[in-house]
Amino acid sequence: MAAPGKRIALLGLSIECNKWAPPSTKADFLSRTYLSGEALMEDARAAAPVMQPETPGFVSDMDASGPWTPVPILLAMTEPGGPIEHGFFEEFLGEIETGLRAALPVDGVYICSHGAAITTESEDPDGTLFRLVRRIVGPTVPIVATLDLHANISDAMVDFIDVFIGYRTNPHVDMRECGVEAAEAMRELFAGTRPKRAFIRLPIVPPTVTMLTAGGPYADLINYGAAHKTARIMNVSVMGGFAFGDTSKNGLAVVVTAREDARAAHDLAVDIAHLGWKNRERFRTRLTALADALAMALAAGREPTRPALIFADVADNPGGGARGNTTYLLEALHQAGAKSVLLGVFNDPALAAEAHRLGEGAAFRARFNRDETNEFSKPFAADARVLKLSDGSCIGRRGTNAGLKLELGPSAAIMVGGITVVVITQRTQCCDPIFFEMFGLDIAKARSVVVKSRGHFRAGFDEFFKPEQVIEVDLPGLTSPVLSRFDWQRLPRPVLPIDENVVWSPPPFRERDGGAP
């Protein structure tokens, strides 16, 4: 089903915002992805794009379906971080409005959004963007949006679009497929389908480590939705949300998009929500204490017959806005004399720059966190040697980064006792083996690997470690899954798993039929 001559605007905003992290600026977006016009289209069609795969998936499927006219407006993406500086967000909205109005008329709009953005003044910039787009293009132009399953959903994010498509995998390995699904949905809307949506939010804020989709309570909801999808249903999206936004729209959400049948969308959403509520006690965190993790790493280093282990520093996950530079596990391993350990990636521009000044083979006193110190980013110093240097340019090899062009900035592998630490300049989470392999490090020969990541590493490192070899360590940090440790201000209360005696009942039927409500 081609869309001959159809003019489709492409735009988006993608960032996951942690309320407690330093504010995200325009410079953060410019260093990652801030593309408009032909530059946007060139990257979307590149062999190794810098943008995430949703838009390339949409573009490639539209290209394959027949003639169409892409109208690239502006796509802004960056690593998860703190709230967006509101002045920059307003500047971004201004660029969107100017570009989209100049492009009119358009036949459709594709929005690539994350859904867990906040600004220094607003808790729902995604909803603001969706509302703006609908106001500009009018009530009848199809709008299709893709969102991360960590999105925190507001009414505006459902009411002002026609088709809502959330990721179904965590780690996220279906981003491109979601873009393809968005293109398919757009063509279906061009053919006359008028979708209806249902939206239900539960008083459950799942800790990050409970939202894997290979198994567990969240996987059960995803699978139930897929199994009960009928010809009347276009899409089922179960959105786990992102706790650290601390917004009034936090909470596990179900969004069902139906073909014409609002009641079918509502009934399936209610069924999924009931299952989520039935399994609410399963959304509780189970982590390994530092002392136990340390004992495991030491044993793995002493006894080569034991399986190697990968330790996830889930509380210092840059993929959730953390700084990627806490030293709790590094210092404990070093003091205990741990051997054959790879640790990465540690965000410390000053340390990386010093290693580059000294050169490969240099011995020096490595001072971690000399420039950035806060509640969690404690200084640590140890004798070290520079093993290998890199400019940080690479192509993602596996998992969520596969095929993407990545820039870590000046980077170094340094030996600290029995630990090899990969130090980088551009903060990112360690979810791809290439971050070690680019230094010639052999992951298969390591007895312990430590990654600053919450879950995306599982899709990158699964060729080395089975699920039973993964250890999630309980440590302090900006992304600790122990939610009771945070001072919540806007999170809906009471809410599980923080509070007890939480109650819920399904909302009444409401028809959402696209356009402005």
Side-chain angles (χ1 to χ4, degrees):
M1 182 169 29
K6 296 294 186 181
R7 291 170 49 81
I8 302 175
L10 309 174
L11 56 94
L13 174 69
S14 185
I15 181 175
E16 187 175 79
C17 293
N18 186 314
K19 169 186 171 179
W20 291 279
S24 298
T25 68
K26 184 175 183 177
D28 293 312
F29 288 90
L30 290 173
S31 70
R32 184 64 174 85
T33 302
Y34 200 77
L35 299 169
S36 61
E38 285 309 306
L40 191 161
M41 292 308 300
E42 288 174 7
D43 193 63
R45 289 170 170 149
V50 298
M51 67 176 64
Q52 291 291 322
E54 303 99 299
T55 302
F58 181 91
V59 169
S60 67
D61 196 72
M62 290 303 302
D63 286 345
S65 73
W68 69 297
T69 303
V71 183
I73 306 299
L74 176 61
L75 180 62
M77 295 179 159
T78 192
E79 295 293 325
I84 303 168
E85 288 186 346
H86 193 73
F88 163 62
F89 176 65
E90 290 184 325
E91 176 188 332
F92 166 81
L93 284 182
E95 290 189 54
I96 291 289
E97 181 166 11
T98 299
L100 191 53
R101 288 194 183 280
L104 294 177
V106 296
D107 299 294
V109 181
Y110 167 60
I111 304 176
C112 177
S113 187
H114 182 287
I118 58 175
T119 80
T120 51
E121 297 182 20
S122 169
E123 70 167 9
D124 190 23
D126 293 286
T128 300
L129 173 62
F130 291 10
R131 181 183 290 107
L132 172 68
V133 172
R134 176 58 73 193
R135 178 164 56 85
I136 293 171
V137 302
T140 61
V141 171
I143 302 176
V144 179
T146 53
L147 297 101
D148 191 300
L149 59 75
H150 291 105
N152 297 321
I153 309 303
S154 67
D155 284 307
M157 293 167 64
V158 179
D159 287 335
F160 289 102
I161 65 174
D162 294 286
V163 181
F164 184 111
I165 299 170
Y167 303 168
R168 287 180 288 274
T169 63
N170 188 26
H172 306 326
V173 293
D174 65 335
M175 291 182 280
R176 186 177 181 89
E177 287 77 5
C178 287
V180 169
E181 183 178 348
E184 294 169 346
M186 184 70 74
R187 294 193 296 272
E188 187 170 340
L189 268 59
F190 288 155
T193 297
R194 292 293 174 259
K196 312 285 186 178
R197 290 165 313 291
F199 167 37
I200 297 175
R201 185 189 298 120
L202 287 165
I204 300 172
V205 176
T208 52
V209 293
T210 67
M211 284 194 283
L212 297 172
T213 54
Y218 187 57
D220 289 352
L221 298 181
I222 298 283
N223 294 335
Y224 184 91
H228 290 79
K229 184 178 175 182
T230 67
R232 292 181 295 176
I233 304 297
M234 288 184 71
N235 179 272
V236 179
S237 295
V238 183
M239 316 300 283
F242 183 65
F244 306 113
D246 188 24
T247 72
S248 62
K249 58 177 185 161
N250 275 94
L252 194 155
V254 182
V255 182
V256 178
T257 304
R259 295 177 172 89
E260 315 286 350
D261 192 339
R263 177 60 69 175
H266 174 81
D267 290 348
L268 180 54
V270 168
D271 285 349
I272 297 169
H274 273 302
L275 178 61
W277 188 244
K278 176 182 177 182
N279 290 324
R280 60 191 179 275
E281 290 302 317
R282 297 172 65 196
F283 288 100
R284 294 190 182 274
T285 302
R286 294 173 178 82
L287 302 174
T288 299
L290 174 58
D292 295 332
L294 183 60
M296 294 176 186
L298 293 174
R302 287 193 308 264
E303 304 173 38
T305 56
R306 284 177 175 261
L309 299 172
I310 186 166
F311 297 87
D313 189 350
V314 294
D316 191 32
N317 171 32
R323 306 307 296 162
N325 62 358
T326 63
T327 59
Y328 304 105
L329 193 48
L330 169 61
E331 185 171 7
L333 289 165
H334 182 262
Q335 290 180 350
K339 304 294 183 184
S340 189
V341 179
L342 298 180
L343 187 150
V345 284
F346 196 98
N347 173 43
D348 194 329
L351 183 55
E354 182 178 16
H356 275 258
R357 285 195 304 271
L358 294 173
E360 293 180 1
F364 71 118
R365 185 73 174 171
R367 293 183 296 141
F368 294 83
N369 292 335
R370 75 190 76 174
D371 288 349
E372 180 178 327
T373 57
N374 56 40
E375 180 183 358
F376 302 119
S377 304
K378 307 291 188 183
F380 169 66
D383 292 335
R385 180 167 58 89
V386 180
L387 296 179
K388 189 79 173 176
L389 301 173
S390 169
D391 64 2
S393 296
C394 60
I395 303 296
R397 187 170 75 79
R398 285 179 59 79
T400 59
N401 282 340
L404 298 184
K405 184 179 180 182
L406 305 169
E407 299 289 349
L408 307 184
S411 304
I414 64 174
M415 177 70 78
V416 182
I419 309 163
T420 300
V421 184
V422 173
V423 184
I424 62 172
T425 297
Q426 297 292 338
R427 183 177 58 89
T428 190
Q429 69 170 304
C430 189
C431 57
D432 196 313
I434 195 65
F435 295 163
F436 292 110
E437 294 166 344
M438 63 195 292
F439 295 96
L441 301 172
D442 191 342
I443 296 169
K445 291 183 179 178
R447 301 300 299 138
S448 294
V449 175
V450 178
V451 290
K452 287 187 176 291
S453 176
R454 181 270 315 156
H456 288 341
F457 71 92
R458 291 173 181 263
F461 290 82
D462 59 352
E463 63 182 353
F464 302 105
F465 301 98
K466 298 176 181 177
E468 58 269 24
Q469 294 171 272
V470 176
I471 311 298
E472 296 169 332
V473 188
D474 187 5
L475 295 165
L478 281 174
T479 57
S480 170
V482 185
L483 301 183
S484 59
R485 294 174 179 167
F486 294 85
D487 180 20
W488 305 103
Q489 299 296 317
R490 298 184 63 87
L491 203 70
R493 304 292 290 271
V495 66
L496 293 169
I498 302 171
D499 303 309
E500 302 298 332
N501 302 317
V502 182
V503 298
W504 173 79
S505 59
F509 171 74
R510 172 188 169 187
E511 183 165 331
R512 301 171 189 260
D513 59 358

